[in-house]
Amino acid sequence: AEHALEHAARMVEEGAAIIDVGGESTRPGAAEVTVEEELQRVIPVIEALVAALDVPVSIDTRKPVVMQAAVAAGAGLINDVTALQAPGAIELAAQLGVPVCLMHMQGTPQSMQDQPTYGDVVTEVKGFLLGRAGACMQHGIDREKILLDPGFGFGKTTAHNLQLLQQLEQLVEAGFPVLVGLSRKSMIGQILGLPVDKRLPAGLALAVLAAWQGAAIVRCHDVRETREAILMCQAVRDAS
């Protein structure tokens, strides 16, 4: 928890507006973590962050038990890669009253990169997310508390990811804030042949492309550099 707090404090100093905490990897092929292990990983960290920092903390989890404990510990946003599809998740989120980020994923982290297939990836991802947003509103979650994430790299080939980013405005135009996570993603490695630690310039380009089309939140590893790139993008957008 101490190490996480130091890292988060540095990110806030560099301009992070939200700190996202997750106790289970959702990378392709990642193994599942038990509820108990996930709770042991995230709750002390959330408590430390909430006590020390002035920015919202989000909990990245797909487990309702973890959502409930995290919000009780002070988390102010539920970030779910399965878009609240776990039994009881959507009802719990409505009861907790915090904003939710709904992400699209084809398959599970264990299987999602095993030949993902779409007829039209942009239409299908948008349709799924708007369907989940509708379900949330039917269960009493305010429209103003719903964010959408197209899930770059989650059950998508590089071609799918490129199409989604190229046409991100289609999702933005639906009227919900859109969150994107493109930092260090494998699509950069596949296109440029770069290892994870050499992907910053390409990641900044992707972040700017997303921001230019109206993404509201950019989830990243390299905060200062990404913030500066986004601010320059915003300055050009606002020039008129």
Side-chain angles (χ1 to χ4, degrees):
E2 283 182 20
H3 177 69
L5 178 57
E6 288 174 12
H7 185 56
R10 186 164 61 250
M11 289 194 288
V12 172
E13 186 179 328
E14 293 181 355
I18 302 169
I19 298 295
D20 193 44
V21 177
E24 178 182 57
S25 174
T26 49
R27 289 187 184 91
E32 286 198 49
V33 171
T34 66
V35 171
E36 292 75 19
E37 177 70 15
E38 194 173 341
L39 288 169
Q40 288 170 12
R41 292 178 179 182
V42 299
I43 299 305
V45 172
I46 292 170
E47 290 174 343
L49 295 179
V50 169
L53 302 177
D54 290 329
V55 301
V57 174
S58 73
I59 175 64
D60 182 346
T61 187
R62 45 190 170 154
K63 300 185 179 77
V65 172
V66 179
M67 294 174 192
Q68 186 163 25
V71 171
L77 168 70
I78 295 170
N79 180 19
D80 182 4
V81 297
T82 60
L84 300 177
Q85 291 186 92
I90 199 166
E91 294 85 357
L92 174 65
Q95 176 188 328
L96 294 173
V98 298
V100 297
C101 183
L102 311 172
M103 196 193 82
H104 175 277
M105 173 172 58
Q106 187 178 95
T108 68
Q110 292 74 39
S111 67
M112 64 188 181
Q113 290 308 107
D114 297 340
Q115 299 181 312
T117 305
Y118 299 87
D120 180 331
V121 66
V122 176
T123 300
E124 290 175 40
V125 168
K126 179 180 178 180
F128 169 82
L129 291 174
L130 293 183
R132 294 307 298 158
C136 285
M137 290 186 287
Q138 287 176 0
H139 281 84
I141 298 175
D142 294 341
R143 182 186 177 93
E144 293 73 25
K145 291 183 177 179
I146 299 171
L147 301 91
L148 305 181
D149 179 352
F152 290 102
F154 285 80
K156 286 127 186 136
T157 64
T158 294
H160 295 143
N161 290 321
L162 294 173
Q163 290 171 49
L164 278 170
L165 183 55
Q166 182 195 60
Q167 299 176 56
L168 190 68
E169 275 182 320
Q170 289 199 32
L171 185 57
V172 171
E173 287 166 358
F176 295 92
V178 172
L179 181 151
V180 299
L182 291 156
S183 177
R184 303 183 186 176
K185 286 284 170 87
S186 61
M187 63 185 283
I188 299 172
Q190 290 178 8
I191 292 171
L192 300 179
L194 295 173
V196 172
D197 62 350
K198 302 293 185 185
R199 296 176 185 173
L200 175 58
L204 295 179
L206 298 178
V208 167
L209 286 166
W212 184 261
Q213 294 185 77
I217 301 176
V218 174
R219 188 175 184 268
C220 67
H221 303 85
D222 305 284
V223 177
R224 188 185 305 279
E225 296 89 342
T226 305
R227 180 173 179 270
E228 290 174 357
I230 297 298
L231 287 173
M232 290 308 301
C233 175
Q234 202 63 43
V236 177
R237 278 180 59 94
D238 295 344
S240 59

